[in-house]
Amino acid sequence: MENDLGNDATLTDHMENDLVNDANDFGKFGELESDNDESDDSDFFVDIDNILDDINVDMQDFEMNIDKDVEWFGGSSNTVVDEGTHDEALEVINTDFLASDSSSDEGINGQRKKLIRAIQRAHENDEALISEPFYNFQKYGSTKEFKDKVKLHAIETRRELALEKNDKNRVRWVFKGTIPNLGPNVEVNDEEEICPWVLLASKWKKDVNWTVKTHNKVHKCLQTRTVKACMYKFLSSNIVEQVESDPTIPIRALQEQLQRRFKVDLSRMQTFRAESEALNLVQGDFVTQYSLLRDYIVELQTRNPDTIIRVDVESEGNPHTETRTFRRIYICLGALKKGFAAGKRDFLGFDGAFMKGPFPGQILSSVGLDGNNGIYPLAYEVIETENISSWTWFLSYLGEDLGLNTNSNFTFITDRQKGILDAISTLFPCAGNRYCVRHIRDNIRKQWRGKPFEDLLWTCATATHVQQFNKGMEELNKLNKDYYEWLTKIPPQHWSRSQFTGRAHSDVILNNLCETFNGKLNEGRDKPIITCLEFIREYIMKKIVNVEKAIGKCIGPLTPTAMHTLENMKKKEEDYRSVFLWKW
């Protein structure tokens, strides 16, 4: 037993001396070649999950009492090892790793050499990682990651890149900027010196990562403000957050910010493309979202029970083609249907608004009134254009969802859009129709301009009894006979309060409820289809929450608008007195 221990101690002493000698040889003559074909970095492992955070200590004035000319190999530790304490020195390197199953000295030397190379490379890479973006034996997961890092370096240093080699196993970058030979004692000629900066990364077929094998970090070429690597895709990835917070930022302002940030020259078109690409990343692509529309419909119906969604598509000429061309989509959220059924008012407004994206279309909406005379959106759809077919398609599905039939006594207010009156008369012949007086006024301005014409129109529209209405029409006839004849062609029961039937229990003569709703959608009409639909749904959701908060603050049996109207009526009542009429 004692002999065995003595032999082990002797073997350990020899292994340690050989390790130090190999390290010294490495410092003098460079790397030792390995006999194995495997990657040299495969034995170097860092346990990232178990790295401990050290406490910050101010070591600025600290000086160790050792010789500063001593070269250290195998790590950055400054611990002094005495010559006689071999056990403490061996704790730095795991002796179990040095032990080999093979009894030959060649296996032990191979393991020892690989360990020395791994320790030396780890030490060099730790130092390079702090100061340099690239260093030898640096690992990258893919060529795209490596190329993006090199392009970023070119933009930051403002130098022009050139890709000399690009194949499955090697990628070699150089800077193609040159330096004129302008020495003080050398004549000027046309020959130019090539910049010595070079970066080569490669991988073997069996390897997964790309490794930097050659890197010369010396720059001699001149800087430039025109860097081709600074493309719109690179710029878009750096302005995503800014565009997301302010999608309406001017191109000029964005161009100046990017030029100050990267210190390069950018054209207006380049900035415009970068902003468009950033908007696509934030809002989604216009074409791609149409292909995802079915998935969006399934998700929307899953998250919102009782939601009805209808999609109309155009079939392709080839019956075996799986794709279809989008035409229309109709959405009626389940929560809106339940709310309308609980406290519905027989009054609905219809209107449309144009979409502003690259694909033409319009957004049709149906809006009702709640108990506080506020807007209550019911359904919305995206169509190709306003005509009899699109309005009939919209109103037929709306009638199904709201339980409207041909005998319904609803009252609809419209702007007399193309096709809507014919669709209403076909589907709901018993319904009442009102025309927005503001649009009638806009049509009047095309021929008769002036305040007297508009004032008499509003007088006739707001008249509460027939005598007042007839008096206003007589004044119109005296003012302009052509104007009077044009207005009499519009039946007064569609635009004057004095002619309303009273079934709607509302004296609204303007289609403000739909105009207000369309005004809220102005920021969403220029977005892709799914983003636009989500913008509408989110606005409706937030509005319902705000209405519930307002209801919680109400005091009294009536809504705030009804209470305000009642108080005004009480104040006006004080100026009246009662008169008794006796019949003889």
Side-chain angles (χ1 to χ4, degrees):
M1 181 66 68
E2 293 177 359
N3 294 332
D4 294 340
L5 293 175
N7 294 333
D8 291 341
T10 304
L11 178 60
T12 303
D13 295 340
H14 287 298
M15 291 173 62
E16 181 188 1
N17 294 331
D18 293 341
L19 179 61
V20 176
N21 293 332
D22 291 339
N24 293 331
D25 294 337
F26 179 82
K28 296 179 179 178
F29 303 105
E31 297 180 352
L32 297 176
E33 295 182 358
S34 176
D35 297 332
N36 298 332
D37 295 333
E38 298 180 356
S39 176
D40 296 331
D41 293 333
S42 61
D43 295 327
F44 178 69
F45 177 76
V46 178
D47 190 0
I48 300 177
D49 296 333
N50 295 321
I51 294 179
L52 301 179
D53 294 333
D54 196 5
I55 300 176
N56 294 328
V57 180
D58 187 7
M59 303 293 290
Q60 183 176 0
D61 298 330
F62 177 76
E63 294 183 1
M64 287 188 63
N65 189 17
I66 60 173
D67 188 0
K68 297 182 180 180
D69 297 331
V70 175
E71 296 183 358
W72 293 93
F73 296 91
S76 59
S77 174
N78 293 327
T79 306
V80 180
V81 181
D82 296 335
E83 296 181 357
T85 58
H86 299 293
D87 295 338
E88 295 180 1
L90 290 176
E91 289 180 0
V92 179
I93 303 175
N94 188 2
T95 56
D96 295 336
F97 179 80
L98 296 176
S100 176
D101 295 337
S102 176
S103 59
S104 62
D105 295 338
E106 183 178 356
I108 297 177
N109 293 333
Q111 295 286 347
R112 185 187 301 112
K113 291 176 182 179
K114 291 186 66 175
L115 179 61
I116 293 173
R117 296 180 67 183
I119 294 173
Q120 178 65 17
R121 290 176 182 175
H123 179 66
E124 293 177 354
N125 293 348
D126 288 342
E127 293 181 350
L129 186 61
I130 299 175
S131 59
E132 298 294 335
F134 305 103
Y135 51 88
N136 290 333
F137 309 107
Q138 189 179 14
K139 300 290 184 180
Y140 290 95
S142 62
T143 54
K144 183 180 184 304
E145 180 184 357
F146 173 64
K147 291 179 180 179
D148 291 343
K149 184 71 176 295
V150 177
K151 291 179 181 179
L152 178 61
H153 177 69
I155 295 171
E156 290 177 348
T157 58
R158 288 183 288 136
R159 288 180 169 89
E160 195 59 53
L161 273 176
L163 189 61
E164 282 193 345
K165 187 175 290 295
N166 184 20
D167 54 30
K168 295 182 179 180
N169 297 325
R170 291 171 296 178
V171 176
R172 180 184 177 89
W173 292 93
V174 296
F175 278 119
K176 66 179 182 181
T178 56
I179 308 172
N181 191 356
L182 300 177
N185 299 324
V186 180
E187 295 182 358
V188 178
N189 51 40
D190 296 334
E191 297 181 358
E192 295 180 345
E193 182 184 357
I194 304 300
C195 181
W197 189 94
V198 64
L199 182 63
L200 172 66
S202 62
K203 81 176 187 69
W204 295 102
K205 295 182 179 180
K206 61 182 178 180
D207 293 338
V208 177
N209 297 327
W210 288 72
T211 306
V212 176
K213 297 297 180 63
T214 304
H215 176 46
N216 187 354
K217 61 184 179 181
V218 178
H219 285 290
K220 290 186 178 180
C221 57
L222 300 176
Q223 292 182 330
T224 178
R225 291 185 64 87
T226 304
V227 182
K228 292 184 178 180
C230 189
M231 304 176 67
Y232 75 94
K233 290 187 178 180
F234 168 79
L235 298 174
S236 63
S237 62
N238 288 271
I239 61 174
V240 170
E241 296 182 358
Q242 186 175 5
V243 172
E244 184 178 8
S245 60
D246 185 12
T248 61
I249 181 172
I251 300 295
R252 183 70 176 177
L254 193 60
Q255 180 182 3
E256 293 178 356
Q257 292 180 11
L258 291 174
Q259 287 178 345
R260 288 196 300 267
R261 179 178 176 183
F262 296 106
K263 297 180 177 60
V264 296
D265 293 333
L266 301 175
S267 64
R268 182 178 178 84
M269 180 56 66
Q270 193 174 7
T271 309
F272 172 77
R273 290 179 178 178
E275 185 185 33
S276 301
E277 184 69 16
L279 286 173
N280 289 338
L281 295 175
V282 174
Q283 301 175 357
D285 185 72
F286 282 88
V287 178
T288 306
Q289 287 202 3
Y290 279 100
S291 62
L292 302 175
L293 193 57
R294 291 184 178 180
D295 297 334
Y296 170 74
I297 293 172
V298 173
E299 185 68 18
L300 185 60
Q301 290 180 326
T302 303
R303 301 295 180 179
N304 299 270
D306 300 330
T307 297
I308 303 299
I309 302 177
R310 313 278 185 174
V311 179
D312 186 19
V313 296
E314 294 180 359
S315 301
E316 300 292 339
N318 185 3
H320 301 288
T321 304
E322 297 181 356
T323 59
R324 300 291 184 268
T325 302
F326 172 82
R327 190 180 181 190
R328 303 166 181 163
I329 182 172
Y330 164 87
I331 298 177
C332 183
L333 299 176
L336 299 179
K337 288 194 302 180
K338 292 180 180 179
F340 181 76
K344 66 180 179 180
R345 299 177 64 179
D346 299 344
F347 188 82
L348 293 177
F350 299 102
D351 197 8
F354 288 95
M355 297 188 70
K356 301 179 181 179
F359 298 104
Q362 287 183 274
I363 302 175
L364 302 184
S365 58
S366 174
V367 184
L369 287 174
D370 58 13
N372 197 37
N373 275 354
I375 65 173
Y376 188 85
L378 284 173
Y380 51 94
E381 73 167 352
V382 177
I383 61 170
E384 70 283 7
T385 185
E386 279 188 304
N387 51 36
I388 298 177
S389 175
S390 60
W391 276 113
T392 303
W393 191 78
F394 178 42
L395 293 175
S396 60
Y397 287 125
L398 181 65
E400 274 184 41
D401 296 336
L402 302 183
L404 306 180
N405 50 45
T406 56
N407 298 326
S408 297
N409 291 326
F410 268 68
T411 299
F412 303 137
I413 183 170
T414 64
D415 300 337
R416 296 189 298 172
Q417 298 97 325
K418 184 178 180 180
I420 188 171
L421 297 180
D422 295 335
I424 291 176
S425 60
T426 302
L427 298 175
F428 310 106
C430 298
N433 288 328
R434 293 186 187 179
Y435 303 154
C436 180
V437 180
R438 180 177 295 170
H439 286 77
I440 297 176
R441 181 205 63 182
D442 295 339
N443 293 331
I444 290 173
R445 286 180 174 178
K446 297 177 182 179
Q447 300 183 22
W448 302 281
R449 290 181 174 273
K451 191 172 183 299
F453 295 101
E454 296 183 8
D455 291 343
L456 288 176
L457 174 64
W458 290 113
T459 300
C460 297
T462 57
T464 57
H465 51 83
V466 179
Q467 292 79 3
Q468 185 178 0
F469 171 77
N470 293 334
K471 183 179 179 181
M473 293 298 291
E474 291 176 0
E475 294 179 1
L476 277 175
N477 191 15
K478 294 178 182 179
L479 180 63
N480 190 301
K481 190 173 182 179
D482 295 337
Y483 178 33
Y484 171 80
E485 291 178 356
W486 182 87
L487 192 58
T488 53
K489 294 179 181 179
I490 304 175
Q493 63 268 22
H494 296 315
W495 59 276
S496 178
R497 289 176 180 172
S498 61
Q499 307 292 333
F500 290 165
T501 59
R503 73 169 68 165
H505 302 286
S506 176
D507 58 354
V508 174
I509 58 175
L510 301 176
N511 198 9
N512 281 348
L513 61 168
C514 290
E515 298 291 345
T516 302
F517 181 70
N518 289 336
K520 300 297 182 181
L521 306 183
N522 190 37
E523 297 180 2
R525 288 187 288 162
D526 59 344
K527 294 178 172 55
I529 181 68
I530 295 179
T531 309
C532 177
L533 295 176
E534 273 296 285
F535 184 88
I536 300 174
R537 186 194 63 83
E538 184 177 349
Y539 165 73
I540 295 174
M541 178 184 65
K542 292 179 179 179
K543 179 173 178 56
I544 292 175
V545 174
N546 293 334
V547 170
E548 289 182 352
K549 292 180 180 180
I551 292 174
K553 298 179 181 179
C554 290
I555 300 175
L558 302 178
T559 61
T561 301
M563 290 294 297
H564 180 71
T565 304
L566 182 60
E567 293 297 329
N568 291 336
M569 294 175 63
K570 288 181 180 179
K571 292 180 180 179
K572 293 180 180 179
E573 186 182 359
E574 296 176 356
D575 298 333
Y576 292 89
R577 62 187 181 87
S578 59
V579 177
F580 295 95
L581 298 178
W582 294 89
K583 185 176 180 181
W584 298 93

